[in-house]
Amino acid sequence: VLAPGASGEAREAARARVAALVPPGTEIRIEEGDAAARIAEAAGAAGASLIVAGTGRDAASGRARAGSTVMRLLRLTPLPVLVAVGEAR
């Protein structure tokens, strides 16, 4: 999810980063706006049964933590949210 008004170049860069992380043929959606709200809306529209979200890292301790987007997502969606800890591969 990008900030509102993101450039076409930013959209393509985001798409390329995501495409490098998922299997070929995976649907990739680049949205603009509030990340938690857009994720909840997209999951509901797609008929998803689960949302998988990543954690952030605390800069001081280096420990994984659920960020504000994940916390808002938990409040916005009736779907279960699996919070994955670890580095993207």
Side-chain angles (χ1 to χ4, degrees):
V1 177
L2 301 175
S7 69
E9 188 175 291
R11 284 179 159 281
E12 288 309 311
R15 183 173 299 284
R17 285 193 306 270
V18 172
L21 299 172
V22 297
T26 301
E27 178 186 357
I28 299 171
R29 293 178 52 168
I30 306 298
E31 302 281 345
E32 290 184 22
D34 175 80
R38 297 302 300 191
I39 292 166
E41 290 167 9
S49 58
L50 173 71
I51 297 172
V52 179
T55 60
R57 293 260 172 216
D58 181 274
S61 69
R63 298 178 75 179
R65 63 174 178 75
S68 59
T69 298
V70 170
M71 297 305 289
R72 279 186 34 75
L73 183 58
L74 290 168
R75 289 191 299 271
L76 289 173
T77 184
L79 296 171
V81 178
L82 172 66
V83 180
V85 178
E87 299 296 319
R89 296 178 197 225

